[in-house]
Amino acid sequence: MLGERGEKWWQKVFHDTFVQILAGILIAAVLALSPHLIESLTWHIAAYIVCGFAGLGICAGGIRTVISRRVIDRAGSHNTANEIEQPVSGRGDLEILAREAIGALGLKVTVRDAELQATPQVVSTFVDLNMRREATGLMGYYDAVRFLPVTLPKQRHPGGPYEMEVVRVDYSLIALVSDPVSPATVRESVMRRISRLPNVDPAIRSEWREGRVGLLGTQLCLITSDRKILLRRRGVNVLFARNRWDVSVSGFCGTVDLDGESILNPCLTAEHETLREIGHVRADPRNLRMLGVVRNTNTGAFDILLAWETDSDSRAIMKLLTAKNARENTVFDTGVRAIERYVWDSKNLLVNLDAEDMEFAWDRCGVKAEDFEPQSLLCLDLTLRMFASDREHGFLRQGGPEN
């Protein structure tokens, strides 16, 4: 949209200038031809009046041109600083829904008065699925109310907050749809229920028809007081992105993240997930920054990207994760059991908040950009842009999963 305004600004300025010149000529002509003035005015004086008003029109148009150009340049530089590049050619699995840092604009997530609850058949099948998992040494899925996006985040007016709507859904339904071990008949039955939801954005509904149902979640980069960032490799017990590298904290929005009855606050999700997955990290909630909103079209997942400058240094973070000594730029196991069981088998890596240092650490530890989900890479890119003023690197452009 900004590019369109940048291309057509001169047309509007030309039009305004032309109108002002024409108005000046008409006013001068009216004055010159007025019955009360015609006897005292000569055509030479009338010509001077016409030229004078025309000159005023040109000056006013010139001033408008300068002002318009400066406004557009300022907007262009702001958008260029925050605009996110689309994934490289052939990588169409990530759709950027909010292209700029949305912290100043805000994001309003409204919960509709509707809920997809588990039926007795779903409950029975979910219990059976968990028993199968536990028989193979995996943890069972935890059923809780999560939130399913039904509209894409959009701005109702320029400069206003992004707004989107979600509905409550039992996690057991999403687990049965997403886990390939679940019976096909139950999966189809659940998908029919989801597909019958009214007033759903066509782009989301089309993905549901193909079996890609994604919840609303958050991706958070934690920045330590000594300017390091924590990266984590997910374990085998999670439903999505098993054994893939991730940002510091990620998780789905839940009912504990509600402000009132119908407004969902993703910043609360980031706070609660940090406490559950890592522990008590000293950080001011007012320093949480929203970076953007994305949708993985391969999985259907929606993610709100955030970054958080903390008051804890890297040593304090290490102590929360492991009781053993660990070094930076080295992958280490999670040795301290957090509230969230599904991160007990996570791997950890603390690196400098610098793209080149991060690449060095990755190379040393055998980590590649392809080992991350694209939304995680984007969260890293935006964090580096905002907190390290790094606009040259782009991990999302270097790689990412070819799903």
Side-chain angles (χ1 to χ4, degrees):
M1 185 168 61
L2 179 68
E4 183 179 354
R5 285 188 298 167
E7 291 171 4
K8 296 184 178 180
W9 68 267
W10 58 269
Q11 296 180 6
K12 187 175 186 304
V13 170
F14 176 81
H15 176 267
D16 291 347
T17 304
F18 176 78
V19 169
Q20 290 181 70
I21 292 173
L22 183 60
I25 293 173
L26 290 175
I27 291 172
V30 169
L31 290 175
L33 297 175
S34 173
H36 302 287
L37 298 176
I38 193 65
E39 296 179 357
S40 59
L41 291 179
T42 66
W43 287 107
H44 291 290
I45 297 176
Y48 290 144
I49 294 174
V50 171
C51 292
F53 273 91
L56 288 175
I58 293 173
C59 290
I63 293 172
R64 186 186 294 270
T65 301
V66 173
I67 294 174
S68 299
R69 191 66 247 174
R70 286 182 177 177
V71 170
I72 290 171
D73 286 342
R74 283 199 300 268
S77 62
H78 170 76
N79 236 47
T80 301
N82 292 310
E83 189 166 328
I84 306 164
E85 292 195 22
Q86 285 283 9
V88 294
S89 178
R91 288 271 323 285
D93 51 354
L94 192 66
E95 180 182 2
I96 301 162
L97 304 173
R99 288 182 162 274
E100 57 187 346
I102 61 174
L105 300 175
L107 173 67
K108 182 180 180 181
V109 183
T110 303
V111 182
R112 286 185 184 174
D113 187 18
E115 182 175 353
L116 288 170
Q117 296 180 332
T119 63
Q121 181 191 27
V122 166
V123 172
S124 175
T125 309
F126 184 68
V127 170
D128 182 63
L129 176 63
N130 278 341
M131 290 177 62
R132 292 190 195 181
R133 287 176 57 82
E134 290 166 1
T136 60
L138 297 175
M139 295 181 187
Y141 297 127
Y142 175 70
D143 193 16
V145 175
R146 297 298 183 229
F147 294 96
L148 182 67
V150 290
T151 65
L152 300 176
K154 296 179 181 178
Q155 291 174 289
R156 293 189 178 180
H157 53 85
Y162 286 87
E163 299 181 32
M164 65 183 298
E165 295 182 350
V166 297
V167 296
R168 293 176 175 85
V169 59
D170 286 353
Y171 188 74
S172 55
L173 278 73
I174 304 301
L176 291 176
V177 166
S178 304
D179 196 311
V181 178
S182 62
T185 53
V186 176
R187 190 182 309 128
E188 293 169 1
S189 174
V190 171
M191 283 305 308
R192 282 195 298 270
R193 286 188 60 198
I194 295 175
S195 299
R196 285 198 295 266
L197 281 170
N199 302 320
V200 177
D201 190 284
I204 298 175
R205 193 181 294 280
S206 66
E207 290 187 354
W208 290 354
R209 293 194 185 102
E210 298 178 9
R212 300 196 298 272
V213 181
L215 297 172
L216 181 64
T218 57
Q219 295 263 318
L220 172 66
C221 286
L222 287 178
I223 304 168
T224 65
S225 60
D226 49 350
R227 312 306 290 174
K228 301 185 188 300
I229 189 169
L230 172 68
L231 303 176
R232 310 194 78 184
R233 186 188 179 195
R234 298 163 66 84
V236 298
N237 289 291
V238 294
L239 177 58
F240 301 103
R242 295 171 186 164
N243 295 319
R244 299 190 68 80
W245 278 92
D246 201 358
V247 290
S248 311
V249 177
S250 59
F252 298 120
C253 301
T255 53
V256 294
D257 308 320
L258 288 171
D259 273 343
E261 295 183 357
S262 61
I263 301 298
L264 186 64
N265 187 345
C267 289
L268 289 178
T269 306
E271 290 183 61
H272 295 150
E273 288 297 316
T274 299
L275 179 62
R276 291 182 58 83
E277 294 187 6
I278 297 178
H280 181 66
V281 176
R282 289 186 292 113
D284 189 338
R286 293 172 295 182
N287 290 334
L288 268 166
R289 295 289 179 267
M290 288 191 190
L291 306 176
V293 184
V294 297
R295 177 178 60 155
N296 189 322
T297 56
N298 181 66
T299 63
F302 284 71
D303 279 293
I304 300 167
L305 312 180
L306 303 102
W308 199 2
E309 287 185 298
T310 73
D311 296 320
S312 296
D313 62 18
S314 54
R315 288 185 176 274
I317 298 295
M318 278 187 183
K319 287 182 180 180
L320 291 173
L321 296 172
T322 180
K324 300 179 181 178
N325 292 328
R327 293 184 300 170
E328 296 169 6
N329 296 336
T330 302
V331 176
F332 59 93
D333 293 333
T334 300
V336 177
R337 292 192 168 184
I339 298 173
E340 177 61 74
R341 297 189 309 156
Y342 300 98
V343 297
W344 289 355
D345 60 345
S346 296
K347 304 288 185 181
N348 309 280
L349 178 62
L350 273 163
V351 296
N352 286 333
L353 185 65
D354 178 86
E356 292 183 355
D357 288 353
M358 203 173 294
E359 288 179 329
F360 169 79
W362 288 3
D363 184 62
R364 178 177 177 178
C365 299
V367 179
K368 301 178 182 178
E370 290 85 353
D371 299 330
F372 290 77
E373 289 292 292
Q375 55 268 27
S376 301
L377 290 178
L378 182 56
C379 194
L380 279 176
D381 285 351
L382 295 182
T383 299
L384 287 168
R385 285 190 179 201
M386 176 169 284
F387 295 96
S389 300
D390 190 333
R391 308 192 188 286
E392 299 298 326
H393 290 81
F395 292 121
L396 181 64
R397 297 194 301 273
Q398 295 179 21
E402 296 286 349
N403 292 318

